[in-house]
Amino acid sequence: VCSSDLGNALFVKDTIGLGGNLRPGDEITAINGEPVAKLKEKADAVNSGGEGFRKQLFCLSLISGNKSDKADIAYRRNIEEKFVTLTYELTPSRYNLLLEKKRPDSIFFDNRSIAYFDLRKWEYKVLKKMIPAINKLKGVVFDLRGYPTEDIDYLLQHLITKNDTASHWMLVPVVTRPDFKSVAFKTEGWELTPTTPRIEAKTFFLCDSRTYSFAESILGFIKDYKLGTIIGEPSAGANGD
């Protein structure tokens, strides 16, 4: 069962064929006799990051477990209380694979008027070769919902119009004593330079709570240099060394 949190309640978002009697829209009220609110409170005590990221980790912990283990689910459909026992079928890695299948497979869509790149598995040499064609399209979408490949700085160099002179915009804490009693900060920057051909098409970046760490640094760079429109949900809030 793929679960999605809405406010303080937990609802079924999708069952991907493994949810027994559960249907999208059902509200999960308890698991193995423990109220969902109590389970969320326990999860928040050990998970860091923004609210969206903590919800994501919480939902993942609920739907993945040791194969063949069982869970007693109490749920509400409309006003009727129901119960079902489910067997765990998913590991976290398999769950993530199922989510990936919902992303576009093709580089082009919308009658080939928009280009799409999943920045977790894109190839720079493919993008660079396509830039002249991309500049003739309505726009290009870069998917940052996940951890991008390290060569993403090459992409940024095709978007910036002047030298990146912000050499001290990242502050990395250096902790030398327990309990943060002595903290200094090391400054870092990327100092990128523009390269050709420049991407001139309208540019959009997708993000959500799966956008974490390095990907959040990328978002900050994009926002400050106004390199494109950022669309989606708040990022994880889990960036830092």
Side-chain angles (χ1 to χ4, degrees):
V1 179
C2 297
S3 303
S4 175
D5 197 320
L6 181 64
N8 293 320
L10 190 70
F11 293 89
V12 175
K13 183 177 181 180
D14 193 358
T15 61
I16 52 178
L18 301 173
N21 294 326
L22 291 174
R23 301 175 187 170
D26 289 343
E27 180 185 357
I28 307 296
T29 57
I31 299 175
N32 293 329
E34 192 159 11
V36 163
K38 188 67 175 178
L39 292 171
K40 179 68 163 54
E41 183 180 325
K42 288 182 178 179
D44 283 348
V46 296
N47 291 330
S48 62
E51 179 62 20
F53 187 55
R54 295 199 307 274
K55 288 177 181 179
Q56 175 188 328
L57 295 176
F58 173 57
C59 290
L60 182 58
S61 71
L62 295 182
I63 67 172
S64 58
N66 296 321
K67 194 172 178 64
S68 300
D69 281 357
K70 297 184 182 298
D72 296 322
I73 310 294
Y75 64 100
R76 183 181 297 116
R77 181 175 298 157
N78 298 324
I79 60 173
E80 186 178 359
E81 302 288 340
K82 294 176 175 286
F83 300 89
V84 64
T85 298
L86 298 179
T87 301
Y88 283 107
E89 297 285 350
L90 295 177
T91 61
S93 59
R94 187 180 171 208
Y95 170 68
N96 287 329
L97 285 174
L98 288 168
L99 288 180
E100 287 181 15
K101 291 181 179 179
K102 296 191 175 185
R103 297 193 182 187
D105 294 324
S106 175
I107 281 181
F108 291 102
F109 59 98
D110 190 24
N111 293 322
R112 298 184 65 84
S113 64
I114 297 174
Y116 168 89
F117 291 89
D118 185 341
L119 294 181
R120 300 166 309 157
K121 51 187 180 182
W122 71 301
E123 292 186 55
Y124 169 65
K125 61 182 181 181
V126 174
L127 169 70
K128 185 175 182 180
K129 187 181 296 185
M130 290 178 56
I131 290 177
I134 288 173
N135 286 337
K136 298 178 182 178
L137 302 178
K138 290 181 179 178
V140 56
V141 176
F142 295 106
D143 198 334
L144 257 177
R145 294 174 297 172
Y147 201 90
T149 60
E150 292 184 357
D151 53 358
I152 192 172
D153 55 334
Y154 294 128
L155 164 62
L156 298 176
Q157 288 179 282
H158 286 280
L159 291 169
I160 59 178
T161 58
K162 58 184 179 180
N163 289 344
D164 165 31
T165 57
S167 59
H168 298 81
W169 65 279
M170 298 181 71
L171 298 177
V172 181
V174 179
V175 183
T176 56
R177 295 181 60 190
D179 301 321
F180 287 85
K181 291 183 178 179
S182 177
V183 181
F185 289 91
K186 178 177 67 174
T187 59
E188 292 182 359
W190 294 338
E191 300 182 63
L192 302 180
T193 57
T195 190
T196 56
R198 185 171 179 271
I199 297 175
E200 298 176 347
K202 290 184 179 180
T203 306
F204 302 88
F205 292 87
L206 301 182
C207 70
D208 63 10
S209 59
R210 288 169 287 180
T211 307
Y212 69 99
S213 190
F214 178 44
E216 292 182 287
S217 297
I218 297 293
L219 281 183
F221 191 93
I222 291 165
K223 180 180 178 180
D224 287 347
Y225 278 101
K226 298 179 174 60
L227 302 182
T229 302
I230 299 172
I231 299 174
E233 302 173 0
S235 61
N239 189 17
D241 292 324

